[in-house]
Amino acid sequence: MTVHQRDWQAFVTPGKDGAVHMDLAVDGITCAACMGDIERGLKRLPGIRTARVNLTSQRLAVDWVEDQTGADEIVAELTRLGYKAHPFDPASQKDRQDRTGKELLRSLAVAGFAGMNIMLLSVSVWSGNATGIEPETRDFFHWLSALIALPTVAYAGRPFFRSAFRALASGRLNMDVPIMIGVVLAVALSVVQTVQHQHHAYFESAVMLLFFLLVGRYLDHNMRGRTRSFAENIAALKAEVAARILPDGSVREVPLSKVSAGDLVLVSAGERVPVDGVVETGMSEIDQSLVTGESILVAVDRGQRVYAGTLNGSGSLQVRVEAASGATLLDEVNRLLEAASQAKSKYVRIADRAARLYAPLVHGAAGLTFLGWLLAGMEWQPALVIAISVLIITCPCALGLAVPAVQVVASGQLFRRGVLLNTGDAIERMADIDTILFDKTGTLTLADPELCSPFDLQDPVVRLAGRLALASRHPLSTALVRATGAITPLPEVKEVPGAGLETMVEGATLRLGSPQFCGASAEQIEDALREVPGASLLAIRFGDGPVQLLPFRQSLRPDARAVIDRLKAEGYALEIVSGDTEPSVAGCAEALGIAHWQAGMKPAQKIVRLEDLQQSGHKVLMVGDGLNDAPALAGAHVSLSPVSAVHLSQAAADAVFLGDRLQPVADALRLSKRARAAIEQNLWISGLYNVIAVPVAVAGFVTPLMAAVAMSASSLIVTANALKLRWGEGRPETGAGPAHLPAEKAEG
Amino acid sequence: MDVLIYLIPIAFFLGALGLGAFLWSLKSGQFDDLEGAKWRILDDDDLPDD
């Protein structure tokens, strides 16, 4: 949409043999036909080496020879084919290869293949023990098992060992510490048993344990990777770029990561301001609702500060990029954000809480077993064998799967309902909530203003004004165009920056713009504002006729009332904290039936209100989108943010919801409660398993066969219990999965 | 039981072969897009364009 050139060098990365590589997020790939269309269409361009669509992540990777085709031609060809595409900023996409995921999958494969081979040998030994195997053969099989198991544990156990050492180094206990101790002891004990020609070795237990735990880890990682890559696609399709003005005066569009403090950036009319900075030249009106929560446009002039995420109105601005300094809103938000996120990091995940309880208990039981058998007159070595078998049987196989299995299933369900999780433990925290704080602008309401009084569509003056509005990209003009459905623009439109539009129709002047520009009286403005409190006014005047005032306001999300009613019925305490003016917040609260509301809140006041509630024992869910909500989002027990929010808020929130409806908020709460219940059941199941297994182990009756069966059975039960979450949850009511509704609202 | 001397190395070799094949397929990107692959078999891009 922008007229200036894009600096393609900033988006492509060099590939092999003089070729270049570019990754694009492509919107609207839904089926195999799209995939074929895009790949075949691109291959017709000269110089294209490979064009490959990834249907899972909805991305396109293109390699081509640079001097034969330009990147802009590729994007143009995609547009011609009917797909909106935008290249990724290479800097924002560091993890293209997904190293962690591949390492986990490799470890999983090694553990799986090793486990199968060892199990073959073990089954032979177990049946041989019953039927009279020769000791030499058994020793041989045990040595072979050791040969496979030792390198496998060293290789496939690395993710756990690393995490356990990190936890121990910082003086904490997590689930990986007992896992590491259990696995290492099991292998060490088995080697000792093998050397001593004993009947039993536990190699297969150690490897199988790693296999099951790696399954849990991999699922967990995949869940996060999927939501993250989806969020990256949305960010790329929002076209987070800046138009940098070079010293020679030419303008190049570059990714945000290539803009630094001191650069001059051009912000055209109707665009979002990409950076924080000071206006160097130009004047305009700015919609700051994403930053301050106020829905009224603010006039900006030379020397004034503008913030990333705000929407520029009618004039174009040159903005000098600034690293934040001094007492600005952004600094305050950053400071509050830091303080708030520190407070929140105190939350301990359920799995880690279980580990804190579990590790001392199990190790204590093993120690007592050892002492008990010694006191009962046993030699120290067999007593040690029994103690270690207690550790093996209690090794947290089911416990390691209990939480990730549920999180994977629940996050998949949430994903289908348009909720993307930033953090896995958000589900646990969301289940505790009893109070919900809503921001108003952009959260309860939609981000774009809408005409909110009845008007006569047949009125020729309004229709003319709609056509006149096509000439401007001012937010109110675009709203008027939407309302009137105008298509043909009027000729010879003159734009008066910061005031309005003017043209001649049939010899008379038609004006559209601020009430002052059209000559509206102060009384008339007052009357209009009394009728629709907190509205932005757009005035029309045709010739010497009367001035018509059209009030605009962000309208409520279509299902807001229904969702709020349901949340109230479910017993949540609801409250609105908004930065907007009192009349408009009051109107919104009344329309939704929310009794508690506060208007004109600054970021710090929102935090104070939040802390008051949390100190009186409430668990608060914060739902907000603006920069002014970011600290509250970070400080709340758990937080949600709509996809239209500013980047900082999305990053501070625990989850992001898509689309125009408020329903995902209610869905997220309901699903989290079920998921939380499933997590607790799973923990009880693994607890119960231990209650049965430990006495058997303490008594010294545990054989490797029992360990293998108990381990697999408990893991399967826990996984099945997690899958239960999917039952009774059909497709979401409105059909469309997140794949179909992203980013339509992206460009304000 | 002397046959074990031949059979066990053969079993190991086959196991290692399977593991190697999997690691190779992982490395060559065959697990990157699990959605698209099932549709690509229907794609006649080996035929010339009409």
Side-chain angles (χ1 to χ4, degrees):
Chain A
M1 282 214 212
T2 36
V3 281
H4 33 262
Q5 266 187 309
R6 190 171 277 166
D7 184 3
W8 290 107
Q9 285 309 322
F11 289 99
V12 299
T13 45
K16 275 176 278 181
D17 314 328
V20 285
H21 178 94
M22 179 166 71
D23 287 301
L24 300 109
V26 184
D27 196 16
I29 307 184
T30 46
C31 63
C34 309
M35 191 170 74
D37 270 358
I38 293 176
E39 291 183 358
R40 262 195 298 276
L42 285 184
K43 274 183 193 145
R44 270 187 228 120
L45 293 176
I48 299 280
R49 289 231 180 113
T50 58
R52 202 162 168 91
V53 172
N54 185 328
L55 205 56
T56 315
S57 58
Q58 309 214 340
R59 288 180 187 187
L60 170 67
V62 204
D63 288 280
W64 75 98
V65 184
E66 205 174 13
D67 39 13
Q68 290 186 36
T69 303
D72 44 348
E73 287 165 55
I74 292 173
V75 175
E77 178 68 16
L78 285 169
T79 316
R80 204 183 61 74
L81 291 168
Y83 300 96
K84 186 181 169 198
H86 198 277
F88 280 104
D89 176 356
S92 74
Q93 206 205 351
K94 287 176 207 113
D95 207 12
R96 204 175 90 207
Q97 303 293 338
D98 186 21
R99 281 176 211 289
T100 328
K102 286 206 167 153
E103 192 204 330
L104 281 174
L105 203 51
R106 272 200 306 270
S107 304
L108 186 63
V110 169
F113 278 94
M116 275 190 259
N117 282 293
I118 297 177
M119 198 50 99
L120 273 178
L121 297 166
S122 298
V123 171
S124 319
V125 172
W126 298 337
S127 51
N129 275 340
T131 53
I133 191 173
E134 286 166 43
E136 292 77 26
T137 317
R138 187 172 55 217
D139 283 351
F140 179 52
F141 278 19
H142 278 167
W143 278 117
L144 285 175
S145 302
L147 190 70
I148 308 173
L150 289 173
T152 303
V153 167
Y155 181 80
R158 284 177 311 164
F160 304 100
F161 299 159
R162 267 202 302 267
S163 148
F165 279 124
R166 256 204 306 275
L168 287 176
S170 61
R172 288 178 298 118
L173 271 184
N174 64 6
M175 208 43 125
D176 292 331
V177 177
I179 289 172
M180 181 177 72
I181 296 177
V183 168
V184 169
L185 280 180
V187 174
L189 171 70
S190 305
V191 172
V192 173
Q193 301 267 66
T194 305
V195 171
Q196 296 178 340
H197 314 290
Q198 301 273 356
H199 286 235
H200 298 306
Y202 295 89
F203 291 115
E204 76 289 321
S205 299
V207 174
M208 248 173 58
L209 180 68
L210 282 181
F211 178 73
F212 279 123
L213 292 171
L214 281 166
V215 170
R217 282 301 145 92
Y218 182 65
L219 288 177
D220 188 49
H221 174 83
N222 246 12
M223 165 196 96
R224 266 178 246 179
R226 190 170 56 159
T227 42
R228 195 187 47 224
S229 79
F230 197 76
E232 275 176 8
N233 284 5
I234 291 175
L237 285 167
K238 268 189 184 172
E240 285 177 338
V241 291
R244 188 168 63 187
I245 306 174
L246 302 179
D248 62 5
S250 61
V251 177
R252 289 274 189 281
E253 205 168 90
V254 295
L256 280 184
S257 63
K258 304 265 161 111
V259 177
S260 48
D263 283 353
L264 201 58
V265 164
L266 178 72
V267 185
S268 312
E271 277 186 351
R272 286 217 179 270
V273 179
V275 293
D276 299 303
V278 175
V279 176
E280 194 101 320
T281 52
M283 57 186 288
S284 179
E285 280 182 312
I286 293 249
D287 174 359
Q288 292 199 328
S289 60
L290 268 181
V291 173
T292 58
E294 281 171 41
S295 48
I296 294 176
L297 300 172
V298 182
V300 292
D301 205 344
R302 196 189 138 82
Q304 259 168 315
R305 212 167 244 289
V306 288
Y307 301 104
T310 55
L311 187 63
N312 185 18
S314 48
S316 79
L317 298 171
Q318 294 194 7
V319 176
R320 178 74 64 189
V321 183
E322 237 187 28
S325 63
T328 66
L329 175 71
L330 195 71
D331 292 331
E332 194 195 342
V333 166
N334 270 332
R335 193 174 48 71
L336 289 170
L337 198 61
E338 216 164 279
S341 18
Q342 269 170 7
K344 184 150 102 185
S345 61
K346 282 182 197 143
Y347 179 80
V348 185
R349 297 200 286 178
I350 292 183
D352 289 339
R353 260 182 285 169
R356 275 187 194 171
L357 196 71
Y358 178 88
L361 213 65
V362 165
H363 293 153
L368 284 179
T369 308
F370 178 63
L371 283 178
W373 281 112
L374 271 190
L375 291 177
M378 200 185 253
E379 289 286 304
W380 71 270
Q381 203 187 340
L384 191 62
V385 170
I386 294 175
I388 290 176
S389 79
V390 171
L391 280 184
I392 293 173
I393 199 88
T394 53
C395 216
C397 202
L399 213 49
L401 274 173
V403 180
V406 173
Q407 278 180 357
V408 168
V409 176
S411 78
Q413 297 287 99
L414 285 172
F415 189 75
R416 291 218 313 240
R417 282 169 175 71
V419 181
L420 308 179
L421 295 176
N422 278 345
T423 49
D425 57 341
I427 298 174
E428 297 170 14
R429 283 181 273 131
M430 215 162 334
D432 299 334
I433 292 306
D434 55 18
T435 307
I436 308 177
L437 289 188
F438 284 103
D439 172 47
K440 184 184 79 75
T441 320
T443 306
L444 289 170
T445 70
L446 292 168
D448 298 330
E450 256 179 55
L451 185 55
C452 60
S453 78
F455 71 105
D456 186 5
L457 240 184
Q458 299 311 317
D459 184 346
V461 177
V462 174
R463 291 176 68 89
L464 275 177
R467 291 173 59 193
L468 179 58
L470 278 169
S472 162
R473 295 184 60 187
H474 192 282
L476 295 185
S477 300
T478 12
L480 182 64
V481 171
R482 268 201 309 274
T484 56
I487 309 168
T488 28
L490 291 174
E492 290 173 36
V493 177
K494 204 176 97 198
E495 180 153 10
V496 185
L501 304 166
E502 194 180 68
T503 190
M504 299 296 282
V505 180
E506 293 157 10
T509 327
L510 176 67
R511 283 184 158 194
L512 172 73
S514 68
Q516 290 77 15
F517 176 65
C518 296
S521 65
E523 281 164 39
Q524 211 183 347
I525 297 174
E526 233 168 76
D527 280 352
L529 281 179
R530 198 173 312 127
E531 225 165 90
V532 189
S536 306
L537 296 176
L538 192 62
I540 311 172
R541 185 171 207 178
F542 187 49
D544 293 329
V547 184
Q548 255 182 304
L549 290 179
L550 300 176
F552 286 84
R553 204 166 62 178
Q554 278 99 341
S555 62
L556 289 174
R557 288 180 184 261
D559 61 342
R561 176 77 208 209
V563 172
I564 294 289
D565 282 347
R566 249 192 49 213
L567 290 176
K568 276 201 294 196
E570 281 168 26
Y572 293 105
L574 305 179
E575 199 172 318
I576 301 178
V577 283
S578 173
D580 207 351
T581 52
E582 197 161 325
S584 61
V585 181
C588 169
E590 195 184 337
L592 292 172
I594 297 178
H596 301 281
W597 55 269
Q598 294 185 55
M601 302 276 274
K602 296 233 160 13
Q605 288 171 305
K606 290 195 181 193
I607 280 276
V608 168
R609 178 71 195 134
L610 187 77
E611 277 171 354
D612 274 357
L613 282 168
Q614 294 194 336
Q615 244 147 43
S616 56
H618 292 288
K619 302 277 190 213
V620 183
L621 164 68
M622 174 78 202
V623 191
D625 71 328
L627 193 60
N628 59 338
D629 300 315
L633 288 169
H637 191 60
V638 63
S639 51
L640 272 168
S641 180
V643 72
S644 53
V646 288
H647 185 73
L648 193 63
S649 305
Q650 275 187 28
D654 292 302
V656 173
F657 66 95
L658 309 175
D660 279 352
R661 290 151 47 88
L662 201 58
Q663 183 63 34
V665 177
D667 284 341
L669 286 168
R670 191 171 40 83
L671 265 168
S672 308
K673 282 203 159 153
R674 296 189 54 196
R676 171 65 178 264
I679 288 179
E680 277 166 9
Q681 284 162 11
N682 272 355
L683 291 175
W684 280 113
I685 291 173
S686 13
L688 194 70
Y689 154 80
N690 279 334
V691 167
I692 299 169
V694 169
V696 182
V698 170
F701 295 140
V702 165
T703 61
L705 175 62
M706 283 175 62
V709 170
M711 222 177 253
S712 325
S714 63
S715 301
L716 286 177
I717 293 172
V718 164
T719 313
N721 189 45
L723 285 173
K724 202 185 64 183
L725 272 183
R726 299 175 81 135
W727 296 347
E729 292 276 342
R731 306 290 303 179
E733 293 140 52
T734 46
H740 301 280
L741 40 91
E744 287 162 6
K745 288 264 148 203
E747 274 274 326
Chain B
M1 293 303 253
D2 291 346
V3 70
L4 284 178
I5 293 168
Y6 310 106
L7 285 182
I8 283 176
I10 290 174
F12 273 20
F13 173 72
L14 290 177
L17 203 67
L19 180 60
F22 177 77
L23 292 179
W24 167 78
S25 67
L26 183 65
K27 197 168 180 184
S28 62
Q30 296 185 34
F31 284 80
D32 288 352
D33 181 14
L34 299 175
E35 264 315 290
K38 66 184 176 197
W39 298 106
R40 280 181 202 278
I41 47 173
L42 304 174
D43 188 14
D44 295 327
D45 59 356
D46 48 342
L47 302 177
D49 275 352
D50 294 325

